């Protein structure tokens, strides 16, 4: 069975459960709204941030607030999401259990690449969908402390020169493009496989002084014969690598012993997507997709993209 998902013009392969269809429809609804605000930039009124910082000690942007509100509302309305971990919310949020039985748990970075948000550079939303685990009380962090292998769907929305939704389900990665006039997403790439060629590498070279020798070796290996591209929005760097070929590195360094990228709603999601597309994701010590976080906002070093490039990086890290 293939379901029609509200807000996506084409029936969506890989979505067979109506409740999962409602989760995707909620992501479509929220991201369409975020896309409108991203497009309008400073011309649309935005929430007042009052200089707030989030749980990670980072300055909150108005779009972080707006994105969080829109996704929370849409998930709540869907009656298909039992709980949510969101980058901008310190604690997991649970929805009315009488309306959400047998549904899903979502993880979300509502606005990835926040530092690019008010300078007209591409940003995105990242999401992952887990089945609600049987026999685990829906409270606290425990229901979310699971590996990327448990995901049933994951993806991102990229607010770039056009808005694209990439959706990964078991064995399939599809891209949909928003027709801003009609308000619907249309299938534009059917079965994405990461290219064998790997012309690009991405890393924040500005942190080189903080890297240990193993990371320096790994970056040297990643750089060999490749062009550097670094947007500073992981979702943009990842999308380029997925379509054109490439590898992204966010290693640990002296100031960030676990790197910056979060396991649940960033690294794990990209690990799931890239695995369906024939690529790889490593922490430097093992596959990201097997990583079980011990806290919902835990971070991990991340090396993701072309499988051969990730393997070469792993070898270099091991010395
Ligand atoms: P964010 O979710 O708060 O925006 O942080 C994640 C972003 C990634 O999109 C990007 O790859 C990285 O932070 C850039 O960090 P840095 O400026 O340290 O290179
Ligand atoms: Mg963010």
């Amino acid at each position: 069975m293939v379901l029609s998902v509200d807000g996506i013009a084409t029936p969506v392969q890989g979505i067979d459960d109506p409740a999962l269809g409602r989760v995707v429809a909620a992501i479509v609804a929220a991201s369409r709204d975020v896309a409108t605000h991203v497009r309008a930039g400073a011309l649309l009124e935005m929430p007042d941030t009052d200089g707030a910082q989030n749980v990670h000690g980072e300055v909150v942007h108005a779009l972080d607030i707006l994105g969080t509100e829109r996704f929370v509302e849409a998930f709540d309305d869907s009656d298909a999401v039992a709980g949510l971990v969101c980058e901008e919310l310190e604690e997991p949020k649970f929805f009315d259990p009488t309306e959400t039985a047998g549904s899903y748990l979502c993880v979300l970075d509502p606005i990835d690449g926040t530092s690019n948000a008010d300078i007209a550079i591409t940003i995105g939303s990242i999401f992952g969908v887990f089945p609600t685990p049987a026999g685990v009380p829906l409270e606290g962090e425990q229901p979310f402390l699971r590996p990327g292998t448990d995901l049933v769907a994951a993806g991102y929305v990229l607010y770039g020169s056009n808005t694209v939704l990439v959706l990964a389900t078991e064995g399939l990665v599809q891209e949909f493009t928003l027709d801003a006039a009609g308000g619907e997403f249309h299938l534009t790439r059917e079965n994405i496989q990461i290219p064998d060629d790997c012309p690009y590498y991405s890393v924040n070279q500005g942190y080189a002084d903080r890297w240990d020798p193993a990371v320096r070796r790994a970056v040297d290996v990643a750089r060999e014969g490749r062009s550097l591209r670094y947007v500073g929005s992981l979702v943009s760097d990842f999308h380029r690598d997925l379509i054109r070929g490439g590898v992204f590195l966010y290693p640990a360094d002296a100031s960030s012993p676990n790197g910056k990228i979060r396991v649940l709603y960033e690294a794990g999601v990209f690990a799931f997507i890239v695995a369906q597309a024939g690529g790889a994701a490593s922490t430097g010590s093992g596959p990201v997709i097997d990583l079980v976080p011990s806290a919902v906002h835990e971070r991990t070093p991340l090396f993701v993209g072309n499988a051969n490039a990730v393997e070469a990086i792993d070898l270099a890290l091991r010395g």
Side-chain angles (χ1 to χ4, degrees), residues 107-110 112 124-128 155-157 235 265-266 269-270:
V107 293
L108 173 75
D109 180 355
D112 174 64
S125 303
I126 307 171
F127 61 89
Y156 54 85
V157 183
V235 70
Y265 39 82
E266 294 176 327
V269 165
F270 289 115

Side-chain angles (χ1 to χ4, degrees), residues 128-177:
V129 186
F130 292 101
T132 300
V136 179
L138 288 183
E139 58 190 32
E141 300 201 342
Q142 197 55 44
F144 293 94
L145 304 181
R146 47 212 291 203
T149 46
D150 281 3
L151 289 163
V152 290
Y156 54 85
V157 183
L158 192 63
Y159 311 106
S161 48
N162 47 54
T163 298
V164 298
L165 165 65
V166 169
L167 177 67
T169 47
E170 185 65 42
L172 184 66
V173 184
Q174 305 171 85
E175 181 204 74
F176 303 86
T177 301

Side-chain angles (χ1 to χ4, degrees), residues 58 87 109 111-114 204 207 230 232-234 248 250 260 262 266:
E58 300 155 347
E87 180 183 339
D109 180 355
I111 302 293
D112 174 64
T114 300
N204 189 333
Y207 299 152
Y230 193 76
S233 300
L234 173 52
F248 174 93
Y250 205 114
K260 178 180 184 188
R262 286 56 152 216
E266 294 176 327

Side-chain angles (χ1 to χ4, degrees), residues 143-224:
F144 293 94
L145 304 181
R146 47 212 291 203
T149 46
D150 281 3
L151 289 163
V152 290
Y156 54 85
V157 183
L158 192 63
Y159 311 106
S161 48
N162 47 54
T163 298
V164 298
L165 165 65
V166 169
L167 177 67
T169 47
E170 185 65 42
L172 184 66
V173 184
Q174 305 171 85
E175 181 204 74
F176 303 86
T177 301
L178 179 64
D179 167 11
E184 279 191 316
F185 283 86
H186 296 258
L187 183 66
T188 41
R189 286 189 167 107
E190 273 182 36
N191 181 7
I192 300 173
Q193 288 292 300
I194 191 166
D196 292 336
D197 284 348
C198 184
Y200 302 118
Y201 80 106
S202 303
V203 69
N204 189 333
Q205 202 80 45
Y207 299 152
D209 290 349
R210 306 184 204 159
W211 295 336
D212 70 18
V215 170
R216 279 168 213 262
R217 270 197 314 273
V219 174
D220 283 348
V221 163
R223 184 172 60 205
E224 249 165 60

